[in-house]
């Protein structure tokens, strides 16, 4: 999480908020954020969509970049670029996952809080509440979505997210053996 936050800080002068759950086990995240002076919002454990909407509304965000905590190799330059595109083109969603061409773990989405708030009231299944932009993708004809492709070709076969100990070993090796950026 610390590496993800450090990479997001490089994107520009944006408000960073870690949205976690009210679950007792996530107190470690809250305490960590407090220690490094990053705002933390605690919401629903099982309804990530509601948590994201509540967080965005609490902070008054018209739009926000969704960056998951399993992405320590995130390309921070995409955040600023996607926010500017989202603003200038009046979109519901800017993404690089529809279809994916970036490696897993480098996906970036900028979402309209207003559009996400409307979806929150729909009768969604658990998958859609966990994967908060999945409804946009399934109903893409109803939304203004812009997908940006990786400039280096289709790299979606590569995995840079951290989902298990093997992934963590790989990411630690990358950080130890490659340059800072």
């Amino acid at each position: 999480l610390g590496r993800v936050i450090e990479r997001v800080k490089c994107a520009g002068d944006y408000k960073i908020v870690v949205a976690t759950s009210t679950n007792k086990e996530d107190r470690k995240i809250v305490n960590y954020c407090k220690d490094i002076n990053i705002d933390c919002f605690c919401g629903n454990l099982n309804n990530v969509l509601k948590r994201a909407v509540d967080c965005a509304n609490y902070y008054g965000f018209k739009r926000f970049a969704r960056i998951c905590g399993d992405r320590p190799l995130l390309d921070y330059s995409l955040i600023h670029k996607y926010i500017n595109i989202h603003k200038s083109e009046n979109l519901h969603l800017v993404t690089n996952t529809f279809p994916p061409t970036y490696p897993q773990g480098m996906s970036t989405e900028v979402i309209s809080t207003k559009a996400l708030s409307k979806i929150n009231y729909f009768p969604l299944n658990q998958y859609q509440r966990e994967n908060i932009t999945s409804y946009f993708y399934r109903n893409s004809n109803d939304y203004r979505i812009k997908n940006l492709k990786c400039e280096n070709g289709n790299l979606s076969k590569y995995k840079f997210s951290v989902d298990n100990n093997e992934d963590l070993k790989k990411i630690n090796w990358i950080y130890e053996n490659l340059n800072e950026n």
Side-chain angles (χ1 to χ4, degrees), residues 23 45 49 80-81 86 96 99 107 109 111 119 121 129 153 159 164-165 172 176:
N23 187 318
L45 172 65
L49 174 62
H80 183 70
K81 179 179 180 179
H86 195 272
N96 60 13
S107 58
E109 297 169 307
I111 308 163
I119 291 170
Y121 291 105
R129 294 206 170 273
K159 183 176 188 286
N164 56 46
N165 284 333
N172 283 335
E176 290 168 9

Side-chain angles (χ1 to χ4, degrees), residues 56-72:
N57 286 329
Y58 179 84
Y59 285 96
F61 298 148
K62 291 181 180 178
R63 68 190 54 79
F64 63 94
R66 175 179 181 240
I67 308 296
C68 295
D70 64 350
R71 300 176 185 165

Side-chain angles (χ1 to χ4, degrees), residues 1-146:
L1 180 59
R3 288 182 174 173
V4 174
I5 291 169
E6 288 305 313
R7 297 213 40 96
V8 171
K9 283 180 179 179
C10 294
D13 191 25
Y14 296 107
K15 176 78 170 166
I16 299 173
V17 178
V18 172
T20 190
S21 82
T22 55
N23 187 318
K24 174 176 91 170
E25 294 169 359
D26 287 337
R27 293 301 308 162
K28 291 178 185 178
I29 294 170
V30 174
N31 292 334
Y32 176 72
C33 289
K34 201 177 288 186
D35 289 347
I36 63 169
N37 202 29
I38 292 290
D39 284 354
C40 194
F41 180 90
C42 298
N44 193 297
L45 172 65
N46 298 312
N47 188 341
V48 180
L49 174 62
K50 181 175 179 357
R51 183 188 328 155
V53 168
D54 290 348
C55 178
N57 286 329
Y58 179 84
Y59 285 96
F61 298 148
K62 291 181 180 178
R63 68 190 54 79
F64 63 94
R66 175 179 181 240
I67 308 296
C68 295
D70 64 350
R71 300 176 185 165
L73 297 179
L74 168 77
D75 181 352
Y76 56 81
S77 70
L78 298 178
I79 298 169
H80 183 70
K81 179 179 180 179
Y82 288 19
I83 286 174
N84 285 337
I85 291 169
H86 195 272
K87 283 180 184 177
S88 66
E89 297 184 26
N90 192 30
L91 299 166
H92 292 114
L93 177 62
V94 177
T95 184
N96 60 13
T97 65
F98 190 61
T101 56
Y102 281 83
Q104 183 180 340
M106 296 187 83
S107 58
T108 304
E109 297 169 307
V110 175
I111 308 163
S112 160
T113 299
K114 186 175 181 180
L116 196 66
S117 294
K118 287 181 183 177
I119 291 170
N120 188 40
Y121 291 105
F122 295 172
L124 305 176
N125 62 38
Q126 187 57 41
Y127 176 84
Q128 293 166 318
R129 294 206 170 273
E130 177 74 23
N131 298 280
I132 70 172
T133 52
S134 62
Y135 186 86
F136 288 111
Y137 299 132
R138 283 194 81 125
N139 299 280
S140 60
N141 291 333
D142 298 332
Y143 296 97
R144 294 182 308 279
I145 301 172
K146 182 165 193 160

